[in-house]
Each structure stands twice: as C-alpha cells, then as structure tokens.
Amino acid sequence: AQSSIQGRLQLGMQYYQQSDFTRATEIFEGVLKDDPMNNTAYAYLYNSHVQLEQYDKAEKLANQMAKRDRTQAMYEVDQAYALRKQGKESKALQQYDALIKKLAANRGQLMMLANAFRMRGEFDYAIKVYQRGRQLLSEASAFALELADLYMATGQKPAMIDAYLDYLHAAPHQLNYVQNMLQARLADEDYGVLRAVLLEGIQ
C-alpha cells in the first residue's frame, strides 16, 4: 500500500510540474483518502486548488487538516490564506493575528508558524512572528538571520542591516560572514544607508 501511495505521489507531482492541475488534484485527493495525514499530498493538493483558483476548496481542505492535527500551524495559515484569496481580507487577517497572539515561548513553534507564513508569501506576518518571538523568549537578537532574510525579501535594507548587527552582537566571531552577506546584498547606492545605521549603532 505504501509503495502504491509513493507511485501515485510521483505521478501526481509529474502532472503538477506539467501544470495539469486538474489531473494532479484527482490523484492527490485519492492519496489523502487512503493516507489522511500525508503532508506531501496535502501540500500539492492545496497548491493545485490555488493554481486552479478553487480557493473555497483550498480553504475546506486546510480546515479539514486543521481539525485532524491542531499541532501544525500551517493548516490554519493556509485556511486564512485561502480566505484572503476569496477577498475575505478582514476575516483572514483576524485569523493571522489570532495565531500570533496565541504563540508561546517555544522556539520550534515560532519557527513553524513563521515558515508557514513565509511559504504563502506573507513575509510581513513572518516578521511579526519573529518579533513576537523575541519578546516571548526575552532574547533581543533571536532569529536575527531569519529576520535579515525577510527584510531583504521585503526591501527593508536598514532593518536588514540592523538584523545582521543583532546577529553580530550575539556572535562576534561571525564578523567575516556578516561582512560577506552585507557585501552580497547591498548595492553601491546602499552604502549611505549602511553608514547611517552603523553611526546610529555607535551612538
């Protein structure tokens, strides 16, 4: 049965890669029927519904999975994301905010929720998770590299530099790494920004 599921997953992935989302949907639905907690089938089925703009079906699927497993934050994020795609903006954002509000001082849980937001391109919410995580863990430099990546992705260069400086404060031996990352990620015209952030840090 397991090898049959693997074979069907491979076939479904082939259809997905060929952008034949209708066929992919049929296969992944079948796999989930036989193996209800198969996360690979879930992820591909959810994404197939999104590609086909079947946002109501994506929401229903995420809702079913959330009821089966309350430990996985990604299902609730996916549910809210599907609501957002249906134009139910305030309901979706309420759900996002509620997820952040109920976070505990648990590094693994924080990273899981941030990654779930990141997977859906909800970078601002991933940033909020890490910022809340810093408060909960009472660690001013926690998640510095993750935040640096997210600030880079959202074009927030001064905040990205700050995040790298936070990291450097916690790990002074990583000076070369931080210098290399800043060189790679900053254009010539950004060096004024770097100078301003460094001067502010010195003051």
Side-chain angles (χ1 to χ4, degrees), residues 158-174:
M160 180 195 76
I161 295 164
D162 269 335
Y164 278 123
L165 294 179
D166 286 343
Y167 177 65
L168 195 56
H169 185 74
H173 59 285
Q174 294 287 4

Side-chain angles (χ1 to χ4, degrees), residues 4-34:
S4 148
I5 283 171
Q6 272 313 114
R8 284 149 70 198
L9 280 174
Q10 294 294 332
L11 184 61
M13 286 178 206
Q14 276 174 22
Y15 284 133
Y16 186 90
Q17 278 149 16
Q18 291 161 8
S19 301
D20 191 343
F21 302 116
T22 306
R23 278 192 187 171
T25 298
E26 289 165 11
I27 288 170
F28 293 125
E29 276 174 346
V31 171
L32 272 183
K33 203 173 178 183
D34 295 338

Side-chain angles (χ1 to χ4, degrees), residues 16 21 24-52 54-70 72-83 86 95 120:
Y16 186 90
F21 302 116
T25 298
E26 289 165 11
I27 288 170
F28 293 125
E29 276 174 346
V31 171
L32 272 183
K33 203 173 178 183
D34 295 338
D35 185 5
M37 295 313 297
N38 190 306
N39 268 334
T40 305
Y42 163 76
Y44 275 98
L45 179 55
Y46 181 92
N47 289 338
S48 297
H49 284 319
V50 169
Q51 292 289 346
L52 293 165
Q54 298 170 339
Y55 303 124
D56 54 336
K57 287 185 177 179
E59 182 204 341
K60 195 178 171 187
L61 172 67
N63 192 20
Q64 283 170 350
M65 295 298 278
K67 282 177 183 170
R68 286 178 198 155
D69 183 2
R70 288 287 176 196
Q72 294 282 348
M74 70 174 177
Y75 301 134
E76 292 179 76
V77 170
D78 285 355
Q79 199 183 348
Y81 178 77
L83 285 169
Q86 290 172 74
Q95 197 160 320
R120 295 291 158 224

Side-chain angles (χ1 to χ4, degrees), residues 111-160:
M111 293 192 81
M112 202 186 288
L113 182 59
N115 285 335
F117 279 126
R118 198 174 178 159
M119 284 273 293
R120 295 291 158 224
E122 301 283 17
F123 297 138
D124 290 339
Y125 273 90
I127 289 168
K128 284 182 184 182
V129 172
Y130 286 131
Q131 287 171 339
R132 178 79 183 118
R134 286 181 161 187
Q135 292 170 347
L136 289 167
L137 298 169
S138 303
E139 275 183 56
S141 57
F143 312 113
L145 293 181
E146 289 85 356
L147 281 164
D149 285 346
L150 287 162
Y151 289 134
M152 177 68 190
T154 50
Q156 300 178 65
K157 297 272 177 82
M160 180 195 76

Side-chain angles (χ1 to χ4, degrees), residues 174-186:
Q174 294 287 4
L175 178 62
N176 283 346
Y177 170 77
V178 170
Q179 281 178 331
N180 290 339
M181 290 305 290
L182 290 172
Q183 262 180 334
R185 290 184 157 187
L186 295 175

